[in-house]
């Protein structure tokens, strides 16, 4: 784990969010890396996606979060009925997601499943840990997109079956291939190989809360 200041103050994020789709009920937006999803408790961590979003869309409700360093697509509800419908879809695992990541080293297998239960690490906040006694079920499927050289890296597509905090970051660490630029779970070598966390939420699919139409929306990977 890379050392963090206490309290952790988020650097200023000069990038803004982008609206990928909008109607009367939902928004699909691109969150840049380096922006909190929700404002932090410390007053200097007020800036966040939600803080910016409600200035333009006062009724906006975030349905899920992305880590501070993760970029990519997020689904936002604009009214209570849409929020209720989509919240149930998350609970019923009707929401599909895929992520692109660049991992340290070369994965031997071209595809596979990581199934390791995750629990809070109360002694090392904000870390999570693998715990077979108290952890909640966490499953991540992966597929190799390409293997890169000099230095050895692997671009993968992750399809999480569950949605635990830091799931893809800790699962990658546990198979010996941490995500580049990860400040919590990467080795020093892997951390310093990228200027940001190399994790991007590329696709989300769901049933529109009013029309019922199945939607699949993508946010192109920036790396």
């Amino acid at each position: 784990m890379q050392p963090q200041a206490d309290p952790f103050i988020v650097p200023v994020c000069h990038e803004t969010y982008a609206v990928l789709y909008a109607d009367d009920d939902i928004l699909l937006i691109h969150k840049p890396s380096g922006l909190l999803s929700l404002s932090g408790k410390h007053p200097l961590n007020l800036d966040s996606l939600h803080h910016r979003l409600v200035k333009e869309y006062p009724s906006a409700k975030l349905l899920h979060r992305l880590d501070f360093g993760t970029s990519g697509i997020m689904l936002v509800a604009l009214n209570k009925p849409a929020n209720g419908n989509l919240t149930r879809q998350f609970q019923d695992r009707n929401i599909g997601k895929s992520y692109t990541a660049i991992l340290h080293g070369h994965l031997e297998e071209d595809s596979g499943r990581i199934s390791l239960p995750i629990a809070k690490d109360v002694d090392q906040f904000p870390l999570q840990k693998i715990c077979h006694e108290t952890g909640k079920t966490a499953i991540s499927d992966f597929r190799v997109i390409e293997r890169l050289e000099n230095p050895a890296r692997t671009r993968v597509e992750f399809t999480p079956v569950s949605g635990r905090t830091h799931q893809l970051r800790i699962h990658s660490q546990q198979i010996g291939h941490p995500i580049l630029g990860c400040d919590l779970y990467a080795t020093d070598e892997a951390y310093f190989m990228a200027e940001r966390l190399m994790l991007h939420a590329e696709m989300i699919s769901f049933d529109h809360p009013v029309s019922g139409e199945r939607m699949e929306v993508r946010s192109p990977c920036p790396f």
Side-chain angles (χ1 to χ4, degrees):
M1 176 181 176
Q2 301 300 316
Q4 294 186 348
D6 187 15
F8 177 62
I9 305 301
V10 175
V12 176
C13 180
H14 296 289
E15 290 187 66
T16 187
Y17 68 86
V19 176
L20 304 173
Y21 173 87
D23 62 27
D24 292 339
D25 303 291
I26 61 172
L27 293 173
L28 284 145
I29 58 94
H30 164 85
K31 183 190 86 69
S33 175
L35 182 66
L36 294 170
S37 292
L38 290 171
S39 302
K41 294 180 180 179
H42 196 285
L44 293 179
N45 289 336
L46 176 64
D47 187 31
S48 68
L49 172 66
H50 183 257
H51 181 70
R52 297 181 184 188
L53 204 55
V54 294
K55 293 177 181 179
E56 187 174 358
Y57 303 94
S59 63
K61 300 287 186 183
L62 297 191
L63 291 152
H64 58 119
R65 304 182 193 185
L66 292 178
D67 288 346
F68 162 73
T70 305
S71 58
I73 196 163
M74 292 183 68
L75 177 58
V76 180
L78 293 179
N79 52 58
K80 286 185 178 180
N83 185 68
N85 179 287
L86 291 166
T87 296
R88 286 190 295 274
Q89 289 192 53
F90 272 100
Q91 293 170 345
D92 295 340
R93 294 188 178 178
N94 188 49
I95 307 286
K97 295 181 185 178
S98 70
Y99 293 73
T100 296
I102 298 183
L103 309 186
H104 186 257
H106 285 162
L107 274 70
E108 292 184 9
E109 298 179 346
D110 290 335
S111 62
R113 168 166 286 193
I114 308 166
S115 181
L116 293 167
I118 295 174
K120 290 182 179 180
D121 190 334
V122 294
D123 296 323
Q124 298 190 77
F125 178 84
L127 269 67
Q128 305 289 306
K129 65 180 180 180
I130 302 300
C131 183
H132 292 277
E133 295 179 355
T134 63
K136 295 181 179 179
T137 300
I139 299 171
S140 306
D141 291 334
F142 68 87
R143 178 180 66 86
V144 170
I145 300 172
E146 61 178 333
R147 293 177 176 86
L148 306 165
E149 303 289 351
N150 300 318
R153 294 152 291 148
T154 305
R155 180 184 294 271
V156 301
E157 178 189 67
F158 276 119
T159 306
V161 178
S162 52
R164 308 300 177 199
T165 301
H166 299 171
Q167 177 174 315
L168 300 179
R169 298 166 76 177
I170 193 170
H171 274 179
S172 299
Q173 177 210 45
Q174 289 294 305
I175 62 171
H177 298 280
I179 299 174
L180 301 189
C182 181
D183 59 341
L184 298 180
Y185 302 100
T187 60
D188 284 349
E189 180 181 7
Y191 171 71
F192 287 110
M193 283 172 63
E195 295 183 353
R196 55 157 288 182
L197 176 66
M198 301 299 273
L199 180 62
H200 177 77
E202 186 152 359
M203 184 280 293
I204 192 165
S205 61
F206 58 97
D207 296 336
H208 190 280
V210 175
S211 70
E213 176 189 359
R214 189 68 179 174
M215 298 184 67
E216 180 177 306
V217 183
R218 293 182 176 271
S219 173
C221 184
F223 53 78

